[in-house]
């Protein structure tokens, strides 16, 4: 399919969605609109995973007298369909909505679904990582998202399990075990031989770690052509991930086996972008406090995840919603969110903040997570994800990797299935 044809299809789909939503809006009752200057009694915020806003919204309520309802969805895979439904029907969306990098581009073509934040907030364009700020803009220049976090990579590992297997436990020594992915695999084999247990949770976690290390194109090129079958970055992630099958617990990320595996010691290490720290500690529970630590990721830095806060156009209070998003993403709030649940700041002032840089995480053996993740931000290479990145990753790449990991397909057959499904899942 030519680029022109694809863009024509995209424009038609966007027009259809805009028309549908416009029709619903026309059926609305003006009596539903708040009076000019009316203060909302409540604002709703939709997030996924853990973004560290629990204490921040309490302070916002105290400062403004506006109640804030936090609607949390654990998994992005459950979050996205609900958001799509809200936008398609013109009702149900929160006043402030988190958009993860894997789904952000999917919503940009229909930019009219989102409030343009430029006239609603102060000019913060020089206050964030430049590439992160620019990605919050739609193709028409509309600012649809304020940056929250990035997902600088590290490895979370169980010190007690490493010690029992005769591996080093101090984070510098552990990092030295794996200057590259071969070193990581070698350490995993030593652990498995000594303990009889799996070293990592799954090979899909490895693919997420590797794929975002080099920057450049992944499933799409800059013209939104699907290049999943020829992308060097994707092939490298595939080859590296499949090479780790012999040290994997085969516990898919977000599955019950994966969540329970943290408490049960089913695996000794997992790849943890900064935002994953809160999830690791929540899944592991109080009994495992002090048993986890944080080491560097093989092969240098990388980025897995990160989000923006947007205001759906259907919000009755776009001005107040924008101010709440502005509050949750300012430098002070980003530092507090990081200390509570781990999302890594993108605000430049926050990244230089002494409270951030000197922060140590008590749950993770007092690891200096501010220093570890803060230093890795500069190594992040911006990656172009394309319009259906998340669908290709979740519905094509990861099922094929799991099929190989579980012995349901050999490597060649699994790759063939991935490249076939990528074209279907990535079409738009």
């Amino acid at each position: 399919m030519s680029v022109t044809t694809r863009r024509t299809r995209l424009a038609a789909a966007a027009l259809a969605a805009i028309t549908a939503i416009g029709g619903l809006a026309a059926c609305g009752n003006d009596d539903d609109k708040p009076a000019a200057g009316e203060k909302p009694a409540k604002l709703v915020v939709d997030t996924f995973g853990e973004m560290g806003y629990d204490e921040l919204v309490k302070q916002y309520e105290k400062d403004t007298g506006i109640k804030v309802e936090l609607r949390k969805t654990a998994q992005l895979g459950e979050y996205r369909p609900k958001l799509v439904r809200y936008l398609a029907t013109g009702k149900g969306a929160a006043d402030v909505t988190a958009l993860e990098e894997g789904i952000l581009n999917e919503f940009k073509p229909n930019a009219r679904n989102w409030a343009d934040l430029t006239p609603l907030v102060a000019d913060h364009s020089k206050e964030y990582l430049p590439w992160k700020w620019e990605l919050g803009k739609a193709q028409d220049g509309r600012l649809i998202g304020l940056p929250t976090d990035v997902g600088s990579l590290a490895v979370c590992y169980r010190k007690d399990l490493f010690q029992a297997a005769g591996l080093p436990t101090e984070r510098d020594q552990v990092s030295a075990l794996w200057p590259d992915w071969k070193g990581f695999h070698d350490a995993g084999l030593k652990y498995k031989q000594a303990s009889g247990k799996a070293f990592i949770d799954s090979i899909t976690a490895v693919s997420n770690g590797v794929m975002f290390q080099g920057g450049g194109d992944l499933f799409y090129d800059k013209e939104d052509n699907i290049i999943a079958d020829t992308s060097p970055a994707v092939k490298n992630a595939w080859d590296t991930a499949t090479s780790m099958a012999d040290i994997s617990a085969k516990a898919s990320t977000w599955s019950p086996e994966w969540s329970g595996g943290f408490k049960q010691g089913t695996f000794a290490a997992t790849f943890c972008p900064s935002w994953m720290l809160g999830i690791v500690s929540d899944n592991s529970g109080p009994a495992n406090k002090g048993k986890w630590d944080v080491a560097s990721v093989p092969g240098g830095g990388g980025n897995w995840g990160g989000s923006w806060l947007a205001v759906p156009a259907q919000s009755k209070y776009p001005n107040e919603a924008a101010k709440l998003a502005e509050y949750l993403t300012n430098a002070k709030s980003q530092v507090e969110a990081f200390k509570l649940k781990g999302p890594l700041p993108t605000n430049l002032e926050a990244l230089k903040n002494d409270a951030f840089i000197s922060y140590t995480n008590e749950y993770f053996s007092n690891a200096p997570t501010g220093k570890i993740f803060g230093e890795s931000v500069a190594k992040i290479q911006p990656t172009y994800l394309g319009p259906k990145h998340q669908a290709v990753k979740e519905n094509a790449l990861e099922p094929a990797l799991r099929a190989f990991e579980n012995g349901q397909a050999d490597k060649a057959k699994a790759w063939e299935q991935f490249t076939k499904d990528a074209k279907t899942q990535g079409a738009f």
Side-chain angles (χ1 to χ4, degrees):
M1 183 186 298
S2 70
V3 172
T4 301
T5 302
R6 184 173 290 113
R7 284 177 172 166
T8 301
R9 177 181 293 181
L10 178 61
L15 179 60
I18 291 169
T19 301
I21 293 172
L24 287 171
C27 296
N29 190 332
D30 287 343
D31 293 340
D32 293 338
K33 296 180 179 178
E38 179 183 329
K39 184 178 178 180
K42 183 178 76 172
L43 292 171
V44 180
V45 179
D46 269 352
T47 64
F48 52 87
E50 282 291 353
M51 300 189 76
Y53 293 157
D54 301 76
E55 298 303 320
L56 290 171
V57 299
K58 292 178 183 176
Q59 186 61 48
Y60 186 83
E61 290 176 337
K62 186 177 179 180
D63 293 343
T64 65
I66 301 173
K67 183 174 177 54
V68 177
E69 179 185 354
L70 269 181
R71 300 193 307 199
K72 296 183 182 180
T73 300
Q75 300 179 27
L76 186 62
E78 297 174 359
Y79 180 84
R80 178 194 164 277
K82 290 192 289 187
L83 178 55
V84 169
R85 185 171 67 252
Y86 297 150
L87 297 179
T89 60
K91 60 182 180 181
D95 298 286
V96 177
T97 299
L99 296 176
E100 201 264 354
E101 67 171 8
I103 63 174
L104 174 71
N105 287 335
E106 184 177 353
F107 296 113
K108 284 183 176 180
N110 293 331
R112 288 180 58 188
N113 283 336
W114 308 98
D116 183 1
L117 298 175
T118 301
L120 303 181
V121 301
D123 180 6
H124 300 295
S125 58
K126 306 300 182 186
E127 299 173 15
Y128 294 84
L129 296 169
W131 62 268
K132 183 78 178 182
W133 179 266
E134 290 301 316
L135 285 175
K137 296 179 180 177
Q139 286 87 339
D140 63 358
R142 177 182 301 230
L143 180 65
I144 65 171
L146 297 179
T148 61
D149 64 307
V150 288
S152 285
L153 280 169
V155 174
C156 292
Y157 67 98
R158 281 278 297 268
K159 293 172 62 177
D160 58 328
L161 299 182
F162 270 46
Q163 184 174 30
L167 293 176
T169 59
E170 295 302 319
R171 64 184 68 94
D172 290 342
Q173 295 176 330
V174 171
S175 297
L177 287 175
W178 46 67
D180 52 28
W181 289 97
K182 182 180 183 303
F184 185 81
H185 185 240
D186 290 345
L189 287 177
K190 289 178 181 176
Y191 176 84
K192 185 174 181 179
Q193 289 168 359
S195 68
K197 295 182 178 180
F199 185 60
I200 56 171
D201 44 355
S202 70
I203 67 172
T204 55
V206 177
S207 71
N208 277 311
V210 179
M211 196 159 53
F212 292 97
Q213 283 194 313
D217 298 333
L218 297 180
F219 302 134
Y220 296 88
D221 64 16
K222 299 296 189 302
E223 299 295 327
D224 286 339
N225 298 297
I226 301 174
I227 58 166
D229 57 341
T230 59
S231 165
V234 173
K235 189 62 165 63
N236 182 45
W238 175 274
D239 289 339
T240 305
T242 51
S243 74
M244 305 282 177
D246 55 350
I247 58 171
S248 169
K250 305 175 184 176
S252 301
T253 306
W254 311 117
S255 69
E257 294 77 16
W258 180 77
S259 299
F262 285 93
K263 279 185 180 176
Q264 298 159 5
T266 306
F267 43 86
T270 187
F271 298 96
C272 53
S274 183
W275 52 263
M276 186 76 88
L277 295 179
I279 296 169
V280 172
S281 59
D282 287 349
N283 285 340
S284 300
N288 287 311
K289 182 178 180 180
K291 295 180 180 178
W292 286 93
D293 207 325
V294 182
S296 61
V297 70
N303 182 52
W304 175 9
S307 300
W308 291 256
L309 291 185
V311 175
Q314 62 186 261
S315 171
K316 293 181 180 179
Y317 301 98
N319 290 307
E320 289 77 8
K323 293 188 185 309
L324 175 55
E326 189 177 31
Y327 164 78
L328 292 172
T329 56
N330 70 29
K332 182 179 178 182
S333 293
Q334 288 200 355
V335 173
E336 293 305 313
F338 172 78
K339 290 161 66 177
L340 185 64
K341 291 296 181 181
L344 184 61
T346 52
N347 183 291
L348 300 176
E349 181 182 332
L351 289 168
K352 296 176 183 176
N353 185 290
D354 288 340
F356 165 73
I357 295 172
S358 63
Y359 180 73
T360 58
N361 193 312
E362 187 177 358
Y363 192 92
F364 289 86
S365 307
N366 290 314
T369 50
K371 182 175 184 295
I372 292 171
F373 288 106
E375 289 179 347
S376 66
V377 169
K379 300 177 183 177
I380 293 177
Q381 299 293 319
T383 301
Y384 181 72
L385 297 185
K388 300 294 288 295
H389 170 86
Q390 200 68 17
V392 176
K393 185 173 86 71
E394 291 186 351
N395 302 325
L397 178 65
E398 293 181 353
L401 284 171
R402 283 194 289 270
F404 170 74
E405 185 177 40
N406 293 321
Q408 297 164 339
D410 62 25
K411 188 174 176 180
K413 191 71 177 178
W415 174 260
E416 180 183 352
Q417 186 64 46
F418 158 60
T419 56
K420 177 184 175 184
D421 290 346
K423 294 176 182 175
T424 303
Q425 295 294 331
F428 57 94

